[in-house]
Amino acid sequence: HVQLVESGGGSVQAGGSLRLSCQASGLIFSRYCMAWFRQAPGQPREGVASFCSDGTTTYAERVKGRFIISKDNTENPLYLQMNSLESEDAAMYYCAAQLGFVGANYRLQTHGFPFWGQGTQVTVS
């Protein structure tokens, strides 16, 4: 059973930075994919970035060059370093995971990931 707990959200001024963390338990497979999604009020949940255990990363166009997803090993948290934050980045951010690989076309899509955290709020003013 996989459990995901996000932290690191908060309020920041436009142009500032935040680092989100996602601590996973039960991620016992050596092959996995994890991702960050976000959802603003009244908007669908959208993929932000994904990381798979083979080291491959995927980014949404809107965050390329500003956000960095990383994870050192199976035990360490998944991170999302967010730089040059814009008002459009304000949302609830969710961590998601899949045991095993997710197909490349699905790594920023919600149905690629069965396990979800409760979210952490990011506010940009």
Side-chain angles (χ1 to χ4, degrees):
H1 180 64
V2 177
Q3 290 186 312
L4 305 171
V5 179
E6 303 97 332
S7 62
S11 183
V12 64
Q13 289 187 333
S17 298
L18 279 176
R19 189 177 78 159
L20 305 183
S21 299
C22 174
Q23 186 65 58
S25 60
L27 203 63
I28 60 174
F29 285 21
S30 59
R31 288 157 50 100
Y32 58 85
C33 287
M34 298 181 71
W36 288 99
F37 288 78
R38 67 187 183 188
Q39 188 168 21
Q43 299 297 317
R45 192 168 296 189
E46 64 174 357
V48 175
S50 70
F51 174 95
C52 292
S53 54
D54 63 355
T56 57
T57 57
T58 306
Y59 292 93
E61 285 297 324
R62 293 174 61 181
V63 305
K64 278 183 180 178
R66 299 189 297 123
F67 291 11
I68 301 171
I69 190 170
S70 64
K71 193 177 192 307
D72 292 335
N73 55 50
T74 303
E75 291 76 27
N76 285 0
L78 177 75
Y79 295 109
L80 184 68
Q81 178 67 43
M82 305 187 295
N83 301 318
S84 302
L85 282 162
E86 304 168 354
S87 57
E88 293 79 11
D89 297 317
M92 184 72 80
Y93 281 71
Y94 296 93
C95 178
Q98 168 63 290
L99 301 177
F101 283 158
V102 176
N105 292 335
Y106 298 96
R107 291 181 182 178
L108 294 180
Q109 297 191 26
T110 56
H111 54 264
F113 298 87
F115 303 107
W116 293 83
Q118 295 300 307
T120 185
Q121 183 70 45
V122 172
T123 302
V124 183
S125 58

